[in-house]
Amino acid sequence: MALAEFLEDLDELADAAVAAFAAATDPKTLESARIEFLGAKKGRLKTVQKKMGQVDKTDRPAAGKHFNQLKQRIDQAFAAARARLDQGASPARQSKKEPFDPTLPGMSVTLGRRHPITQTIEELKEIMGRLGFHVADGPEIEDAWHNFEALNIPPEHPARDPLENFYLSVAGSNDEPMLLRSQTSTVQIRVMEHTPPPVRIISLGRVYRPDTADATHYPMFHQMEGLLIDTRVTMADLKSVLRMFATSYLGGDVHIRFRPSFFPFTEPSVEVDYQWNDQWIEFGGAGMVDPNVLEAVGYDPEQVTGFAFGLGVERLCMRRHNITDIREFYKNDVRFLHQF
Ligand code: PHE
């Protein structure tokens, strides 16, 4: 076979292959073109390659060189076609086909809103801030010292019963039990431990108790703790602060009532009731900080006195918005949440 004839076959084949690859508009046609030209057994390139043996011996090196060049050209054309089709599958390519239409109505974004309890917390911080109280924070996982011991709650006290608390079996060791805090009074201790008096803080956050959920109970809820330590603080100051707070939050001239009570960390202790729509409603506990607590944090009870209170945040929010079931807060039903 003459060299010229072989080269002509080869050129023709290369032109046909390049044209077929360029014409392919989908992966399927490209694949059948690949099999036709580049197929390992019966591909047309293979067939031409076999003919190389018939070329005169002296011409064979030239034939081989030309063959390699054209094979490279065909391979490149195939790779280019494949890259073109791959790109076509991407959205960028599709948007080229369908140009952006600025007259179409846009997709509306639904705005969320803050949870009613979060909104309440923000408002309580704002009101108490005006009365000079700074916000302090504490951990929700506590040790017995901050949740009980320093608060004058001895080991045999029923409040420490495992059935009344969420003790954590994974944290701490047996002689250092950890628990989900059952009250925000823990933050009183944490603040006093590293701040010399005077102190004027509030702390808002979650507390946990193994209560069965019903309309007025939930195993997790929020408290606002208040603590004021200074010289010559009296129960009259406590009553004034709580009354000013209630008037700001609930609106109008809210009356307040103290009922004698008991908390290990305050002496005397009271339950705090607010009058609302001709009803007395309990919002929390309060009292003068017990001297034992002041001593536990290294304060001198002869020098300073103070008051503390703990109010239920859900209760305040429920009263304000006439919500009758605490469980509504934690169902995550947007029909409820969107009303606030
Ligand atoms: N920690 C008490 C409770 O959770 C409330 C309280 C706070 C009482 C501060 C007195 C002083 O019931």
Side-chain angles (χ1 to χ4, degrees), residues 37-145:
F37 291 99
L38 295 172
K41 280 186 193 153
K42 293 184 190 159
R44 284 169 64 181
L45 195 65
K46 199 89 204 163
T47 318
V48 173
Q49 191 180 11
K50 280 178 195 152
K51 281 193 202 159
M52 200 156 19
Q54 300 164 19
V55 174
D56 300 336
K57 247 195 180 134
T58 46
D59 290 333
R60 241 178 251 167
K65 196 176 164 204
H66 199 69
F67 178 86
N68 284 338
Q69 280 170 354
L70 285 180
K71 166 124 181 23
Q72 212 176 8
R73 194 180 144 211
I74 295 169
D75 283 344
Q76 276 169 4
F78 173 71
R82 190 150 68 185
R84 173 173 53 81
L85 291 184
D86 280 353
Q87 215 178 50
S90 77
R93 170 79 182 199
Q94 303 218 324
S95 69
K96 254 187 212 158
K97 274 191 224 150
E98 281 173 51
F100 175 66
D101 181 352
T103 65
L104 286 176
M107 287 203 284
S108 63
V109 179
T110 334
L111 274 189
R113 56 188 74 204
R114 283 181 305 167
H115 192 278
I117 293 299
T118 309
Q119 291 182 35
T120 306
I121 287 174
E122 292 302 312
E123 194 175 344
L124 301 185
K125 283 181 185 168
E126 208 264 323
I127 294 170
M128 295 306 292
R130 280 189 260 137
L131 296 173
F133 286 78
H134 291 278
V135 176
D137 255 327
E140 289 179 22
I141 295 176
E142 265 297 3
D143 49 40
W145 168 255

Side-chain angles (χ1 to χ4, degrees), residues 254-259 272-283:
V254 178
H255 287 274
I256 179 168
R257 178 175 80 179
F258 281 172
R259 276 180 295 119
V272 184
D273 297 344
Y274 290 147
Q275 196 175 29
W276 177 258
N277 292 342
D278 296 326
Q279 265 186 61
W280 286 102
I281 294 155
E282 188 196 317
F283 279 98

Side-chain angles (χ1 to χ4, degrees), residues 182-183 185 188 209 223 225 263 265-266 285-287 308-310:
S182 60
Q183 48 186 354
S185 302
Q188 291 183 34
R209 295 176 191 177
Q223 286 186 330
E225 191 81 11
F263 297 103
F265 36 93
T266 46
F309 59 85

Side-chain angles (χ1 to χ4, degrees), residues 241-276:
V241 166
L242 287 177
R243 178 149 180 220
M244 280 192 276
F245 161 74
T247 303
S248 292
Y249 182 67
L250 296 171
D253 191 13
V254 178
H255 287 274
I256 179 168
R257 178 175 80 179
F258 281 172
R259 276 180 295 119
S261 185
F262 175 80
F263 297 103
F265 36 93
T266 46
E267 182 61 35
S269 303
V270 293
E271 304 283 341
V272 184
D273 297 344
Y274 290 147
Q275 196 175 29
W276 177 258

